[in-house]
Amino acid sequence: MTATAQPAATAADLVGLFPPGSRLDEDGGLVVAGCRANDLADRFGTPAVIVDEGALRERARSYVRALAEHWPNSQTVFASKSFPCTAVVRVMAEEGLGIDVAGGGELVAALAAGADPALLVVHGNAKTDEDLDMAVRAGAGTVVVDNFDDIDRLEHLVEGEQRVLLRVIPGVDADTHEAMATGHAGSKFGLSVPDAVRAAARLRVSDRLRLEGLHVHVGSQLLDTEPFARAVEAVGAIGELGEHAVYDLGGGLGVRYTYEDRPPTIEEYIRTLTDAARKHLPATARLLVEPGRSLVAGAAATLYRAVTVKRGPRTLVAVDGGMGDNLEPMLYGQRFEATVATRVGGGESCDLVGRHCESGDTLIRDIPLREPRVGDVIAVPVTGAYCYSLSNNYNGARRPPVVFCHEGEAREVVRRETYDDLLRRDVPAGWPPRSVRLR
């Protein structure tokens, strides 16, 4: 996956990357969920993450409908790491999804959002005693065992009975960025098939841990369904789990970031999984899927304001955000598109760069922007996945707000950080000193 220039797009092409139902107003300005982008920027400041709540809910419902139609004994589980915002998790819980959490912070957010603890799926390749203790005390329904040390810790912590799944490396190489691949031999996630067989034997004799089935995941941002089918075949070959076993088939469905991307539909993805399940798994098995990126990415956009425009060998449009609120271009080479919110489509080729003191702080290279000027609102679509998760305070940046929009109304669900927030964890200097003698 590389950040390469794309063909110039029309206004309709650009609007099509924003949440479904986005449009242009009578003056040619971008409107998302009935709210003008410029009005949102004026009211909530920039950078700001704008979420179309209706689009978010409809995406969740699409998953639930498709999975229920093709495999009734099933559950959709939201991979909350993709957008671990309490309000987003609350939407997913309200729509009947379980919640996948990896770490104490995501667990706390899920519980604060009102998620049913029985529908929590706890992940992690290096779960600490604290992580597992929090999960057990919260009554998390399922813990995914990733290694033998998870078994040791859980047997020490669990007092009653804990349902577990065993994560297996399927040995499937997926066509995605190497940092997003998880199902290949040597992955840090899960156990090889021989080790998984040994772990399963140990779990079967445990009086505290109940092995319910297997978990598999091959990677993220996959634009081809074939690796998903191969992963199902791989876990089906392990066998000896009983006709009512649970098979968590993970997530990983890719999304359309650029005009050239052609991801499978939810229907195509689910059909691939369930067709493979009919071939390789018991008909009475329970299936789980864990979408993250494909649930949230397209429901959101980020608004920036142009701070400066430099013209020379390249036209550089610098905005008031960057790698502090979107690390995906820097980490994965992910390509995004963008537009001036009041002049959508066409324009001169520019590099959209951030405000951080790194030459690598470039959001998008070779992006057409029409007559970019200082003060313009720049809108970047498809920022609902991992941008919020990876936001940071580099150069003292304050992490942006999250704003839910629906039918022309907007409300802030996460406020912008303040400078006081950046200092809040500092321990005040004073007398007596707070140092502790260790020897």
Side-chain angles (χ1 to χ4, degrees):
M1 185 186 304
T2 58
T4 57
Q6 303 292 322
T10 66
D13 291 331
L14 270 163
V15 172
L17 289 174
F18 285 88
S22 298
R23 59 180 175 83
L24 301 182
D25 64 17
E26 59 276 8
D27 298 319
L30 179 67
V31 179
V32 177
C35 300
R36 290 181 173 86
N38 271 38
D39 292 344
L40 291 167
D42 289 343
R43 173 64 181 84
F44 298 103
T46 53
V49 180
I50 307 301
V51 177
D52 182 333
E53 183 179 358
L56 188 66
R57 290 187 182 275
E58 180 53 35
R59 194 71 172 169
R61 292 167 187 170
S62 295
Y63 259 107
V64 172
R65 285 194 300 264
L67 188 57
E69 177 183 348
H70 291 282
W71 199 282
N73 185 16
S74 58
Q75 176 71 51
T76 303
V77 179
F78 171 49
S80 67
K81 65 177 182 175
S82 60
F83 202 159
C85 164
T86 305
V88 172
V89 178
R90 183 177 297 115
V91 165
M92 299 303 174
E94 289 173 352
E95 295 299 335
L97 278 67
I99 309 298
D100 152 9
V101 299
E106 290 179 8
L107 174 64
V108 168
L111 296 175
D116 181 353
L119 297 181
L120 294 180
V121 179
V122 180
H123 279 285
N125 72 297
K127 305 180 198 71
T128 65
D129 288 350
E130 181 185 29
D131 293 333
L132 290 171
D133 185 57
M134 289 176 66
V136 170
R137 289 179 181 276
T142 302
V143 175
V144 178
V145 170
D146 197 275
N147 48 64
F148 290 99
D149 299 302
D150 279 351
I151 300 174
D152 294 338
R153 292 188 173 100
L154 283 170
E155 287 187 328
H156 174 72
L157 291 167
V158 172
E159 295 180 357
E161 183 180 70
Q162 175 65 56
R163 302 195 307 272
V164 301
L165 299 177
L166 188 59
R167 181 160 181 170
V168 179
I169 300 173
V172 174
D173 291 317
D175 183 14
T176 189
H177 191 283
E178 64 177 354
M180 298 183 187
T182 59
H184 56 287
S187 171
K188 78 170 187 175
F189 298 100
L191 292 167
S192 65
V193 171
D195 283 343
V197 170
R198 290 196 299 116
R202 179 173 167 187
L203 287 167
R204 287 192 186 95
V205 299
S206 173
D207 58 359
R208 298 185 179 186
L209 307 181
R210 188 172 86 217
L211 176 61
E212 291 207 319
L214 302 177
H215 175 278
V216 66
H217 183 65
V218 294
S220 184
Q221 186 53 15
L222 273 63
L223 301 178
D224 176 19
T225 61
E226 189 267 344
F228 298 118
R230 285 194 285 133
V232 176
E233 181 179 4
V235 294
I238 294 177
E240 299 181 13
L241 290 171
E243 59 181 9
H244 298 293
V246 176
Y247 292 88
D248 187 331
L249 304 180
L253 176 62
V255 302
R256 187 174 181 235
Y257 284 101
T258 76
Y259 314 116
E260 300 298 300
D261 292 336
R262 294 290 181 268
T265 65
I266 291 174
E267 174 72 19
E268 290 167 340
Y269 166 65
I270 294 297
R271 191 185 307 118
T272 295
L273 292 178
T274 54
D275 284 352
R278 288 186 180 90
K279 291 180 181 178
H280 304 293
L281 304 180
T284 52
R286 180 168 176 78
L287 297 189
L288 274 61
V289 295
E290 296 177 349
R293 185 188 306 271
S294 59
L295 265 175
V296 296
T302 300
L303 303 181
Y304 301 98
R305 203 172 287 275
V307 176
T308 186
V309 178
K310 293 180 181 179
R311 301 186 186 277
R314 299 286 306 153
T315 297
L316 304 178
V317 179
V319 295
D320 52 1
M323 64 192 300
D325 58 81
N326 186 355
L327 269 172
E328 291 243 298
M330 303 82 188
L331 287 180
Y332 310 130
Q334 179 59 60
R335 171 79 185 187
F336 288 81
E337 306 294 348
T339 184
V340 178
T342 53
R343 297 183 295 282
V344 177
E348 61 184 296
S349 180
C350 306
D351 288 350
L352 190 68
V353 301
R355 64 173 298 272
H356 302 284
C357 292
E358 292 281 345
S359 293
D361 182 29
T362 296
L363 288 166
I364 316 170
R365 296 189 187 279
D366 298 318
I367 183 73
L369 297 175
R370 183 143 56 98
E371 302 171 23
R373 299 190 286 263
V374 171
D376 280 340
V377 174
I378 308 294
V380 178
V382 203
T383 59
Y386 298 100
C387 295
Y388 178 86
S389 312
L390 296 169
S391 61
N392 59 82
N393 298 125
Y394 188 40
N395 292 147
R398 296 169 297 158
R399 285 176 289 190
V402 178
V403 179
F404 270 26
C405 298
H406 183 61
E407 296 182 347
E409 296 186 357
R411 74 184 193 279
E412 200 173 47
V413 297
V414 177
R415 65 168 173 81
R416 188 182 308 281
E417 278 187 314
T418 66
Y419 291 117
D420 284 342
D421 289 332
L422 302 184
L423 303 176
R424 198 171 303 280
R425 292 183 297 138
D426 289 354
V427 177
W431 188 264
R434 299 190 181 187
S435 57
V436 177
R437 186 177 297 278
L438 299 179
R439 293 194 178 192

